[in-house]
Amino acid sequence: MTKKERLNDFLERIHGKLIVSCQAVAGEPLYVEEKSVMYLMARAAARAGSPAIRTSSIRDVKAIREETGLPVIGLVKVQYEGFESYITPTMKEVDDLVEAGSDVVALDCTLRKRGDGKTVNEFIAQIREKYPEIILMADISTYEEGINAWKCGVDILGTTMSGYTSYSPKTDGPDYELMRRLSEDADIPVIGEGKIHDPAQAVEALGTGVWAIVVGGAITRPLEIAKRFMDAIDAAKGIE
């Protein structure tokens, strides 16, 4: 299929639905050095009806595609010296994701410092020159970053980084306003992602006009889920 056909097929598949993010990085309880176990989370997500899976690391992209047969939004989390961004920050990660068969490549498109001296605009242009046929998803934290990434030629915007940069709004819940504004003004699909903690918030996020949503921690990170319950109980007891 051509890129346009693949993109249209992917967008039709996810429209109005919830994509489950299945990720575990070193230091998290579900990260196992010897072998990925996130394909099991992806198996559960697929049975629940997730139309695609978002995941990090090359091994999880491969394992989840094999296990579920679903389209995979792939990314690699790595911290390089001089880089404030850590989601697919260099061409090496893009190369690896393409080789692994990632259906969509997600990358940090915030305007933060890059250790290679390039702007994010230059990085996107280099990716487009090398891989004109891949589908790119831009993880951004503000309206301005979203518009910039759209104009640079990405295919999908994700509100993933809202609240995770020093200059974006710090809220406990989703950035509905960012979802709404980008859905209205950008001429490409927007995926609402970030701090969607419960089903009611998921429904509200879809109501902003986004094309689809991604939920990760509230479904696939048991430490985060358990801690949210514990913190709520402590708060009710007045324990700091």
Side-chain angles (χ1 to χ4, degrees):
M1 289 193 293
T2 65
K3 176 191 172 182
K4 183 177 180 180
E5 290 171 333
R6 287 185 291 108
L7 178 59
N8 287 341
D9 180 70
F10 177 73
L11 293 176
E12 182 178 352
R13 178 188 289 264
I14 68 170
H15 192 208
K17 296 182 180 180
L18 184 158
I19 299 165
V20 177
S21 178
C22 302
Q23 301 184 41
V25 297
E28 295 183 352
L30 291 187
Y31 181 84
V32 180
E33 188 71 37
E34 298 77 18
K35 181 183 178 182
S36 167
V37 299
M38 292 312 292
Y39 73 93
L40 296 172
M41 282 290 188
R43 179 190 295 175
R47 290 186 184 180
S50 182
I53 303 293
R54 178 173 162 115
T55 194
S56 62
S57 86
I58 301 307
R59 70 176 190 175
D60 286 349
V61 168
K62 293 178 178 178
I64 288 171
R65 290 185 86 247
E66 181 178 353
E67 168 66 30
T68 67
L70 294 174
V72 172
I73 303 171
L75 57 113
V76 176
K77 291 182 177 179
V78 57
Q79 190 71 67
Y80 291 122
E81 184 177 354
F83 281 79
E84 294 179 333
S85 58
Y86 57 87
I87 296 177
T88 318
T90 74
M91 191 65 77
K92 178 188 183 302
E93 290 74 51
V94 176
D95 290 339
D96 291 345
L97 287 166
V98 171
E99 184 179 354
S102 184
D103 299 274
V104 178
V105 173
L107 63 152
D108 187 309
C109 288
T110 63
L111 299 178
R112 295 181 294 175
K113 179 183 175 183
R114 294 179 52 84
D116 55 11
K118 297 184 179 74
T119 65
V120 69
N121 299 41
E122 291 169 335
F123 183 43
I124 295 171
Q126 287 185 327
I127 297 171
R128 277 288 176 235
E129 182 177 0
K130 188 171 185 179
Y131 298 112
E133 292 299 305
I134 67 173
I135 300 170
L136 288 179
M137 177 176 173
D139 291 347
I140 54 84
S141 69
T142 66
Y143 175 83
E144 291 74 22
E145 289 173 345
I147 297 300
N148 180 70
W150 161 44
K151 292 183 177 179
C152 284
V154 302
D155 302 291
I156 301 167
L157 298 177
T159 61
T160 321
M161 298 303 296
S162 178
Y164 297 101
T165 58
S166 61
Y167 48 83
S168 57
K170 302 297 184 289
T171 62
D172 183 54
D175 191 342
Y176 300 120
E177 181 62 20
L178 179 60
M179 296 178 195
R180 186 174 296 106
R181 290 184 67 197
L182 285 176
S183 297
E184 291 174 353
D185 296 347
D187 198 25
I188 56 174
V190 177
I191 293 180
E193 183 176 3
K195 302 183 180 181
I196 300 175
H197 299 312
D198 58 51
Q201 290 178 331
V203 171
E204 187 170 352
L206 280 170
T208 64
V210 294
W211 190 265
I213 60 171
V214 169
V215 178
I219 297 175
T220 59
R221 286 184 167 166
L223 175 60
E224 181 178 320
I225 297 166
K227 193 172 185 306
R228 188 170 294 114
F229 277 88
M230 301 295 183
D231 289 346
I233 291 170
D234 286 346
K237 293 179 178 179
I239 301 174
E240 293 186 0

